Amino acid sequence: MKKLLIMCGTGIATSTVVKGKVEQWLKDNNLSQEVKIYQSKVSDEIGRIDEYDVVLSTTLVPNNIKDKVIDGVPLLTGIGVDAMYEKVLAEIKRE
Amino acid sequence: MRIEEELAIIELEADSKEQVLQLLGSRLIDQGYVKEGFIESILKREVAYPTGLPTEPYGVAIPHTDGDMVHRSTVAFASLKNPVQFLMMGTDDKLVDVQLIFMLALKNPDDQLEMLQKLMGLIQDPEMVSKLVRIESVGALNELVAGKV
């Protein structure tokens, strides 16, 4: 089971929207059984980011964890969604 | 869900995002939806975690803050005559010209899920964004978003 973290500044607003969309996407792609979603706020996760296989964020993250994090804002604007899901899928499929 | 008459400001003339955030925030405080410190909290949070979204054809901002500043969940709305600049969400250096603001007062992650998703659906529709910017009354606003927010 892959661990997918979705985070935003408060862990309430935009991560909730992103989570809803990602859940649906996982379902549509028959991946629901392979991925467990976690929702949180950035400040709670910075120290344990390596516990997750995939990380989506709608907020800026510190430079030292930047490479690990995929920008989730496309799910809010509708612009660049396919490219974003390609990155997510690559991380889910990574051995 | 509809936007309360007292929580909507149509065709606001503002010079800065701070001005808009203060005006909308004080509506929410006056109506008892949020705590006194809400505006300060929103302003701080906007610096740390910007909420401008580069939607088409006009940018939209969705300022919000921690749930413990909120008594009752709701949404306040402002359309601007002229854009003000917000930092783009997920960046600390990109600016976006914003003409629509949905200020979210959210208490819990789940209680407003449906509303949030509908709202995000609305602002992903360029035609809807154009219509919202040109809206002339709260009544027309609620007619436009009826069933959608």
Side-chain angles (χ1 to χ4, degrees), chain B residues 30-47:
Chain B
D30 291 347
Q31 298 298 317
Y33 285 99
V34 300
K35 296 182 184 170
E36 286 289 334
F38 182 78
I39 296 174
E40 196 187 332
S41 179
I42 283 263
L43 288 168
K44 265 195 201 155
R45 212 207 97 114
E46 198 61 38
V47 174

Side-chain angles (χ1 to χ4, degrees), chain B residues 37-108:
Chain B
F38 182 78
I39 296 174
E40 196 187 332
S41 179
I42 283 263
L43 288 168
K44 265 195 201 155
R45 212 207 97 114
E46 198 61 38
V47 174
Y49 304 115
T51 67
L53 293 169
T55 45
E56 298 287 343
Y58 306 101
V60 175
I62 52 166
H64 54 276
T65 190
D66 295 309
D68 60 9
M69 296 307 298
V70 175
H71 293 304
R72 277 183 294 154
S73 297
T74 191
V75 179
F77 170 87
S79 61
L80 307 185
K81 270 204 165 155
N82 304 300
V84 297
Q85 290 190 318
F86 276 72
L87 276 168
M88 197 182 294
M89 191 179 289
T91 79
D92 60 3
D93 54 359
K94 289 186 192 139
L95 291 166
V96 51
D97 282 329
V98 165
Q99 267 188 275
L100 288 178
I101 290 119
F102 291 91
M103 183 176 274
L104 313 175
L106 299 177
K107 204 167 169 56
N108 302 302

Side-chain angles (χ1 to χ4, degrees), chain A residues 45-56:
Chain A
E45 299 298 331
I46 287 172
R48 57 178 185 217
I49 209 83
D50 288 331
E51 292 175 19
Y52 302 98
D53 300 293
V54 194
V55 182
L56 273 169

Side-chain angles (χ1 to χ4, degrees), chain A:
Chain A
M1 196 87 159
K2 294 289 174 102
K3 291 176 160 183
L4 188 158
L5 172 67
I6 295 167
M7 58 184 185
C8 66
T10 57
I12 290 184
T14 55
S15 58
T16 304
V17 176
V18 170
K19 185 180 171 207
K21 296 205 181 230
V22 171
E23 272 172 353
Q24 187 60 47
W25 176 81
L26 289 172
K27 210 170 156 190
D28 293 345
N29 289 279
N30 292 318
L31 291 165
S32 301
Q33 303 303 316
E34 292 179 38
V35 180
K36 182 165 168 54
I37 297 181
Y38 298 81
Q39 179 181 7
S40 187
K41 59 168 114 176
V42 175
S43 54
D44 287 350
E45 299 298 331
I46 287 172
R48 57 178 185 217
I49 209 83
D50 288 331
E51 292 175 19
Y52 302 98
D53 300 293
V54 194
V55 182
L56 273 169
S57 176
T58 58
T59 63
L60 203 63
V61 296
N63 277 328
N64 60 324
I65 63 168
K66 219 169 191 166
D67 293 343
K68 172 97 189 178
V69 177
I70 299 168
D71 179 12
V73 174
L75 289 175
L76 306 178
T77 60
I79 300 161
V81 175
D82 291 346
M84 189 219 74
Y85 275 136
E86 271 176 37
K87 289 184 199 166
V88 174
L89 189 61
E91 292 303 318
I92 291 173
K93 294 296 180 194
R94 189 192 292 269
E95 292 301 319

